[in-house]
Amino acid sequence: MKYVMQLGQKDQPIFILLHGTGGNEESLLDVGKAINNRATLIGIRGNVLEDSYPRYFKRLEEGLYDEADLAERAVELHHFIQKIVMDVPGDNKDIVLIGYSNGANIGIRLLLDYPDNYRQAILFHPMYPVVVPEKNDLRKTKIFASMGTQDPIVSVINSQYVLSLFNERHAAVTEEWTISHQLTYDEVTAAKNWLDHL
Ligand code: MLT
């Protein structure tokens, strides 16, 4: 997988930056810096191309995921993250997943499937239209999620479904509501405040 790494201070967390459809490994570097300019930033490009737009997993149409591909890509991304994190110098290997849109959605899969590895996440405009029978305990997981009240891609019902997936598994979820699907300065600031006060 293609990635970019900008080393931060050794006592600071590692941000895994996961872009939206059509983005790349650099798309969220500025967002990561705005959240904590001393963190190590690792931006990873999604391995799937939809037309020429990078994503993290295939979809059959808007809002309908190829679940077999999602399952496979999540394992692949998890192994990749675990491997590159080993190259980061220092003892602090605390990972914060930071994803926007499609990047937040693969982030959800990592949080649900690997609760021992991923305990903090910032999910900007997530959506996860997938039935999840597993009931892993996410009691140690802390999530900031921002959602739009008039998001043309993610309905309020779909946003609430994401929140319910985490609430039912006992994660601590902080919600921020914006208007649309765009990533705004205000929600990045709200995410920074949330992480600063964890
Ligand atoms: C997805 O496919 O993950 C969502 O529809 C968000 C997006 O458009 O990337």
Side-chain angles (χ1 to χ4, degrees):
M1 299 185 87
K2 275 205 167 166
Y3 74 101
V4 60
M5 185 186 306
Q6 294 186 359
L7 288 178
Q9 293 179 5
K10 286 187 179 161
D11 60 344
Q12 293 298 308
I14 300 167
F15 289 176
I16 300 294
L17 306 171
L18 304 169
H19 61 81
T21 300
N24 63 33
E25 62 279 19
E26 305 209 344
S27 298
L28 292 182
L29 288 174
D30 286 345
V31 169
K33 273 182 216 149
I35 293 173
N36 178 349
N37 62 13
R38 293 173 302 148
T40 286
L41 308 177
I42 301 177
I44 303 174
R45 187 189 297 197
N47 250 353
V48 167
L49 281 183
E50 185 184 82
D51 300 323
S52 52
Y53 297 121
R55 293 173 49 84
Y56 294 94
F57 56 89
K58 293 182 191 159
R59 61 180 163 183
L60 306 174
E61 59 185 65
E62 180 70 59
L64 187 60
Y65 295 166
D66 178 335
E67 293 190 25
D69 189 68
L70 169 61
E72 237 172 75
R73 303 285 175 179
V75 172
E76 177 187 49
L77 180 61
H78 168 61
H79 289 149
F80 186 75
I81 293 170
Q82 294 303 311
K83 193 166 133 293
I84 43 178
V85 160
M86 292 201 316
D87 295 339
V88 177
D91 296 330
N92 188 351
K93 304 279 177 174
D94 287 348
I95 294 175
V96 185
L97 297 177
I98 301 182
Y100 168 61
S101 194
N102 184 245
N105 305 341
I106 191 92
I108 292 174
R109 183 57 173 249
L110 297 181
L111 291 160
L112 291 172
D113 285 359
Y114 304 102
D116 292 336
N117 299 93
Y118 308 105
R119 293 204 166 150
Q120 293 174 11
I122 294 172
L123 305 176
F124 295 118
H125 303 280
M127 169 165 104
Y128 202 72
V130 175
V131 175
V132 186
E134 298 83 17
K135 285 270 186 282
N136 286 338
D137 187 346
L138 269 61
R139 220 168 283 269
K140 295 185 175 151
T141 305
K142 296 186 172 75
I143 292 166
F144 171 97
S146 64
M147 295 138 306
T149 53
Q150 293 164 47
D151 184 326
I153 295 172
V154 188
S155 68
V156 170
I157 287 177
N158 277 342
S159 294
Q160 279 163 346
Y161 179 68
V162 170
L163 298 175
S164 74
L165 285 173
F166 291 120
N167 286 327
E168 281 166 11
R169 289 165 181 76
H170 310 290
V173 184
T174 297
E175 300 172 30
E176 176 80 13
W177 287 88
T178 66
I179 296 171
S180 195
H181 196 68
Q182 284 108 322
L183 186 48
T184 66
Y185 177 79
D186 284 351
E187 71 200 278
V188 173
T189 306
K192 174 181 172 45
N193 290 337
W194 171 81
L195 193 60
D196 284 350
H197 292 98
L198 272 192

